[in-house]
């Protein structure tokens, strides 16, 4: 187990480091003259040069990378690079604030979006997938399969726009104003309003993800349905509900957990489309605005956040599945 943990931890570190290198390189390619993007519209060449010098943009790329990862700007004589403690994601060119601080302000919105959607789509997928596996080839199985394929083929932005048009615009015209058009209310301010403002975004993600998850649950349960211990449970008189939900589902959890962790990390790290559609001021919108404004440290920080969430989630799931396998 120790060797397994060390190997997975080393893979996490290498993955994050690779993401830093790639993202850093891409921002240098995308923003050939970031000082001009950051300067006022009619700024002189002297002003642009001063901005470039103050942000170390004229240094060779490897010096900039070293400065970002190891040194960073000193605060009270202490370096604030990425590898220092606490880790720093640099400073925003535009807002002159720590990127970590900006992300921490936005992460509650994105986390609420991802966590709520994950809970809903896992619950719905498990129920639909298990019942489809109980009667493979039945009408219910064929209907859920067909709906799953349709949902998988519809892009997220299309689903979101349709939901807004039907459940917000059309219902508002009919005098039913339950669904808000967008925005976010903090959970600590009003739990009811928090859920009401996130209901449409959650539904968008659930409709997109439930098709895939339902098929994974069905396939995983069917794979273990003919095992000896399942037949033994049936022979002992255990009802179908207990056989499938208590025994078959438990044995089939590994692929479900793995896929759930990957999808949760993907949404939490980059819920760009959904946040844009529903006006949620989260990490996704922060990343889009930074990319449009040439704010490279924020772009790198948001990308790195997604990478860290992904590797940590997969690490936790790997440990759980390894422990469940008894190796």
């Amino acid at each position: 187990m120790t060797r397994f943990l060390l190997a997975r931890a080393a893979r996490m570190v290498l993955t994050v480091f690779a993401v830093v290198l790639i993202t850093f390189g891409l921002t240098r390619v995308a923003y050939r003259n970031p000082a001009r993007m950051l300067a006022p519209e009619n700024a002189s060449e002297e002003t642009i040069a001063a901005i470039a010098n103050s942000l170390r943009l004229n240094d060779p790329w490897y010096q900039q990378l070293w400065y970002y990862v190891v040194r960073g700007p000193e605060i009270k004589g202490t370096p604030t690079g990425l590898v220092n403690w606490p880790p720093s994601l640099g400073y925003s060119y535009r807002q002159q604030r720590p990127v970590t601080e900006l992300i921490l302000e936005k992460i509650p919105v994105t986390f609420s979006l991802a966590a709520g959607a994950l809970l809903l789509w896992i619950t719905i997928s498990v129920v639909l997938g298990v019942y489809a596996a109980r009667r493979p080839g039945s009408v219910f199985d064929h209907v859920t399969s067909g709906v799953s394929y349709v949902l998988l083929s519809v892009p997220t932005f299309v689903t979101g726009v349709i939901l807004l048009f039907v459940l917000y615009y059309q219902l508002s015209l009919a005098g039913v104003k339950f669904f808000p058009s967008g925005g976010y209310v903090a959970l600590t301010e009003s739990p009811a309003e928090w859920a009401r403002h996130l209901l449409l975004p959650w539904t968008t993600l659930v409709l997109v993800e439930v098709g895939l998850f339902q098929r994974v649950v069905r396939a995983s349960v069917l794979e273990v349905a003919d095992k000896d211990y399942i037949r033994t449970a049936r022979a002992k008189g255990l009802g179908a509900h207990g056989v499938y939900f208590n025994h078959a589902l438990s044995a089939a959890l590994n692929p479900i957990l793995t896929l759930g962790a990957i999808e949760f990390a993907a949404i939490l790290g980059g819920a760009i489309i959904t946040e844009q559609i529903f006006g949620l001021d989260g990490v996704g919108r922060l990343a889009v605005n930074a990319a449009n404004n040439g704010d490279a440290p924020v772009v790198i920080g948001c990308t790195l956040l997604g990478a860290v969430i992904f590797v940590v989630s997969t690490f936790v799931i790997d440990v759980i599945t390894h422990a469940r396998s008894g190796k």
Side-chain angles (χ1 to χ4, degrees):
M1 185 65 173
T2 301
R3 181 180 298 180
F4 173 83
L5 292 176
L6 290 176
R8 289 298 187 272
R11 189 173 69 178
M12 286 173 55
V13 174
L14 290 175
T15 301
V16 172
F17 184 66
V19 170
V20 172
L21 287 178
I22 294 172
T23 309
F24 191 88
L26 289 176
T27 57
R28 293 306 176 272
V29 172
Y31 308 124
R32 293 301 182 93
N33 193 353
R36 182 171 294 278
M37 295 180 66
L38 297 169
E41 184 176 351
N42 298 319
S44 64
E45 293 299 323
E46 291 77 9
T47 301
I48 295 173
I51 293 174
N53 288 329
S54 65
L55 298 177
R56 308 174 67 97
L57 297 176
N58 293 327
D59 293 350
W61 69 267
Y62 52 86
Q63 292 185 5
Q64 295 183 46
L65 180 62
W66 174 265
Y67 183 77
Y68 179 78
V69 175
V70 179
R71 290 292 301 172
E74 292 190 358
I75 298 179
K76 298 180 180 179
T78 303
T80 59
L82 183 63
V83 298
N84 298 111
W85 189 260
S88 172
L89 297 176
Y91 277 72
S92 166
Y93 291 160
R94 289 283 182 181
Q95 303 186 45
Q96 288 299 299
R97 293 174 58 194
V99 175
T100 306
E101 183 178 300
L102 294 174
I103 290 177
L104 288 177
E105 290 179 355
K106 310 296 184 182
I107 197 64
V109 179
T110 305
F111 183 82
S112 296
L113 172 64
L118 176 70
L119 179 63
L120 288 172
W121 88 55
I122 285 290
T123 302
I124 296 172
S125 299
V126 166
V127 173
L128 295 180
V130 170
Y131 275 105
R134 284 177 59 181
R135 297 181 179 85
S138 64
V139 174
F140 181 83
D141 186 25
H142 287 302
V143 170
T144 54
S145 296
V147 172
S148 297
Y149 293 136
V150 171
L151 294 177
L152 284 171
S153 65
V154 181
T156 304
F157 71 91
V158 174
T159 304
V161 170
I162 291 175
L163 288 177
L164 269 178
F165 178 75
V166 175
L167 296 181
Y168 167 70
Y169 180 71
Q170 292 294 338
L171 287 182
S172 296
L173 290 180
V176 180
K177 298 183 179 181
F178 175 77
F179 295 100
S181 61
Y184 176 79
V185 175
L187 177 63
T188 54
E189 182 178 336
S190 173
E193 287 299 306
W194 170 81
R196 191 170 74 90
H197 279 74
L198 287 172
L199 192 55
L200 285 182
W202 284 342
T203 304
T204 300
L205 294 177
V206 166
L207 291 178
V208 171
E209 298 291 345
V210 74
L212 174 62
F213 267 78
Q214 187 267 338
R215 304 308 297 167
V216 171
V217 172
R218 176 188 180 277
S220 301
V221 172
L222 279 176
E223 187 176 346
V224 301
D226 291 329
K227 299 293 184 181
D228 291 340
Y229 59 90
I230 299 296
R231 289 198 295 265
T232 301
R234 290 197 188 100
K236 289 182 177 180
L238 189 63
H241 185 279
V243 169
Y244 280 92
F245 280 95
N246 297 337
H247 293 276
L249 181 60
S250 177
L253 272 182
N254 284 0
I256 300 171
L257 291 174
T258 301
L259 184 59
I262 293 173
E263 290 300 314
F264 176 74
I267 291 176
L268 191 58
I272 296 175
I273 296 176
T274 309
E275 290 182 1
Q276 291 292 321
I277 292 174
F278 294 99
L280 299 174
D281 193 15
V283 177
R285 174 173 284 191
L286 176 66
V288 170
N289 291 337
N292 291 333
N293 294 327
D295 203 342
V298 178
V299 174
I300 297 173
C302 292
T303 305
L304 188 57
L305 171 69
V308 169
I309 293 171
F310 177 81
V311 297
V312 170
S313 299
T314 53
F315 174 78
V316 171
I317 295 302
D318 284 347
V319 171
I320 293 174
T321 54
H322 186 79
R324 283 171 52 85
S325 66
K327 297 180 180 180

